């Protein structure tokens, strides 16, 4: 059905005369008549009865009118849903319990009028492809995995370097330590059943293990954070890594310990990834917000993988679940 003809029909009804409708639509009265004639032919009914006094709605025209108005309203809503600034900003956060979700919550608190559509895509390849293809506006990821490059037209900028903590039960050999160096973990077993092969966080921990001589054990099904906490609490040998800002709540009887890592401090390098030609104004606001909050990575005292330094340092934009990180 031709929506231009439908709009002409509704305008003619509201105006009361074809001549008035033509003036509203900036066309000739003959063009109004032709459009309505085409619509009547498509519908197989007469919408107006023509008399010497003008045109009046037939009973079919009266029946069609409310649906015609609904069609035009649906057209406007459809256009508005993708109009820059009207569509919700769609952002991937990997996991809703992780620190990057906190970054997005902070942005929303600072910009409460911005509509957000928060999604959780598992692997980096899918997330970056979704950015490239316009399925999402941005994703938070570690950039980039070994042997990978961002597609043309896709850019990344560092937004958070999150320190790691060692997480142990009360019987572990490091349970009483106030801080330890990663080198002290050489030969120790770090259990991380959520480390899925091919993910950017698995690549991160693989290089961490190779650098400091520890073992990342991902054997066993991943039953979620509660099972991980229970297992760690009961073990004198197992430990795991958690990021500094990962919120965890455990039973008081577990007496679990979070121990900072220093000399150097391993940091997980979160970046925001987006398409450079994305015009969404809320994306510009998000980038500016993250840039103003990021203090920059220190020149010394931290460790990141050799492949993680490719994201640009953020700058102000010119005005013209299931993952244990």
């Amino acid at each position: 059905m031709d929506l231009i003809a439908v709009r002409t029909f509704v305008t003619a009804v509201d105006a009361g005369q074809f001549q008035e409708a033509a003036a509203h639509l900036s066309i000739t009265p003959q063009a109004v008549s032709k459009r309505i004639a085409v619509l009547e032919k498509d519908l197989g009914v007469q919408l107006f009865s023509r008399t010497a006094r003008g045109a009046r709605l037939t009973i079919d025209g009266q029946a069609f009118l409310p649906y015609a108005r609904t069609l035009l309203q649906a057209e406007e809503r459809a256009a508005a849903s993708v109009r820059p600034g009207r569509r919700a900003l769609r952002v991937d956060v990997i996991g809703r319990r992780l620190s990057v979700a906190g970054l997005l919550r902070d942005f929303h608190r600072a910009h409460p009028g911005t509509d957000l559509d928060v999604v959780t895509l598992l692997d980096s390849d899918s997330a970056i492809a979704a950015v490239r293809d316009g399925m999402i506006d941005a994703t938070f990821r570690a950039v980039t995995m070994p042997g990978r490059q961002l597609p043309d037209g896709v850019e990344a900028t560092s937004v958070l370097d999150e320190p790691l903590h060692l997480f142990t039960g009360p019987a572990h050999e490091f349970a009483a330590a106030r801080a330890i160096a990663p080198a002290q973990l050489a030969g120790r077993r770090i259990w991380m059943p959520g480390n899925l092969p091919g993910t950017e966080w698995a690549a991160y921990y693989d290089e961490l293990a190779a650098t400091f001589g520890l073992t990342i054990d991902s054997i066993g099904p991943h039953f979620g954070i509660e099972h991980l906490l229970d297992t760690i609490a009961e073990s004198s040998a197992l430990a795991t890594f958690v990021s500094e800002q990962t919120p965890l709540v455990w039973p008081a009887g577990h007496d679990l310990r979070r121990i900072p890592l220093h000399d150097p401090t391993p940091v997980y390098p979160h970046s925001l990834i987006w398409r450079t030609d994305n015009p969404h104004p809320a994306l510009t606001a998000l980038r500016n917000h993250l840039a103003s909050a990021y203090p920059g990575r220190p020149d010394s005292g931290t460790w990141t993988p050799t492949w993680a330094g490719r994201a640009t340092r953020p700058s102000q934009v010119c005005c013209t679940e299931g993952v244990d990180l």
Side-chain angles (χ1 to χ4, degrees):
M1 188 179 298
D2 186 350
L3 289 179
I4 294 177
V6 174
R7 181 173 290 103
T8 302
F9 164 72
V10 172
T11 302
V13 172
D14 292 341
Q17 296 180 1
F18 282 14
Q19 188 169 350
E20 289 294 326
H24 282 300
L25 296 170
S26 299
I27 58 176
T28 65
Q30 292 78 11
V32 171
S33 295
K34 287 181 179 179
R35 288 180 182 180
I36 290 176
V38 169
L39 182 61
E40 289 176 327
K41 183 178 179 180
D42 286 345
L43 295 173
V45 299
Q46 188 174 348
L47 299 173
F48 288 99
S49 60
R50 279 77 168 175
T51 67
R53 296 182 179 180
R56 300 180 61 182
L57 281 176
T58 64
I59 188 169
D60 289 321
Q62 293 174 26
F64 180 65
L65 180 60
Y67 296 102
R69 294 190 190 280
T70 300
L71 278 172
L72 296 180
Q73 291 167 358
E75 179 195 27
E76 172 56 29
R77 287 195 297 270
S81 71
V82 294
R83 192 171 295 138
R86 296 291 297 274
R87 175 181 60 78
L89 186 70
R90 198 171 201 213
V91 183
D92 163 50
V93 296
I94 310 180
R96 298 177 191 273
R97 298 175 64 176
L98 303 180
S99 58
V100 289
L103 292 179
L104 203 55
R105 287 193 297 269
D106 290 343
F107 167 72
H108 192 254
R109 279 192 288 267
H111 299 80
T114 299
D115 289 331
L116 292 175
D117 181 9
V118 183
V119 300
T120 53
L121 303 176
L122 180 60
D123 64 284
S124 180
D125 287 345
S126 297
I128 293 174
V131 170
R132 179 199 63 205
D133 297 340
M135 303 299 295
I136 60 175
D137 294 296
T139 182
F140 290 95
R141 296 284 159 174
V143 178
T144 61
M145 291 174 60
R148 310 289 178 87
Q149 291 184 339
L150 292 177
D152 291 340
V154 175
E155 191 170 338
T157 187
S158 300
V159 294
L160 175 65
D161 297 317
E162 189 174 11
L164 291 189
H165 288 176
L166 185 70
F167 201 63
T168 79
H172 192 274
E173 63 176 309
F174 293 124
R178 300 184 63 179
I180 62 171
Q184 293 178 258
L185 297 175
R188 270 69 172 189
R189 177 184 174 204
I190 307 297
W191 191 48
M192 304 191 75
N195 268 24
L196 300 178
T199 58
E200 69 267 30
W201 59 89
Y204 173 91
Y205 287 110
D206 285 347
E207 185 160 333
L208 178 71
T211 300
F212 296 104
L214 53 95
T215 299
I216 299 292
D217 180 1
S218 59
I219 296 175
H222 184 40
F223 290 112
I225 191 64
E226 291 78 11
H227 176 255
L228 179 68
L229 297 181
D230 291 343
T231 304
I232 294 295
E234 296 171 358
S235 176
S236 61
L238 286 182
T240 194
F241 287 130
V242 294
S243 296
E244 184 179 67
Q245 297 182 31
T246 301
L248 294 176
V249 178
W250 57 85
H254 278 10
D255 194 21
L256 292 164
R257 317 292 175 87
R258 297 181 69 142
I259 305 159
L261 298 171
H262 292 305
D263 301 322
T265 297
V267 295
Y268 195 89
H270 299 285
S271 294
L272 182 74
I273 302 173
W274 74 96
R275 237 171 71 166
T276 53
D277 62 353
N278 188 325
H280 202 302
L283 177 60
T284 299
L286 174 62
R287 290 171 55 200
N288 280 334
H289 172 85
L290 295 171
S292 63
Y294 181 62
R297 187 176 302 165
D299 293 333
S300 62
T302 62
W303 177 91
T304 57
T306 54
W307 47 264
R310 301 181 187 175
T312 60
R313 179 178 170 81
S315 58
Q316 292 296 107
V317 179
C318 178
C319 299
T320 64
E321 287 171 87
V323 178
D324 301 312
L325 297 183

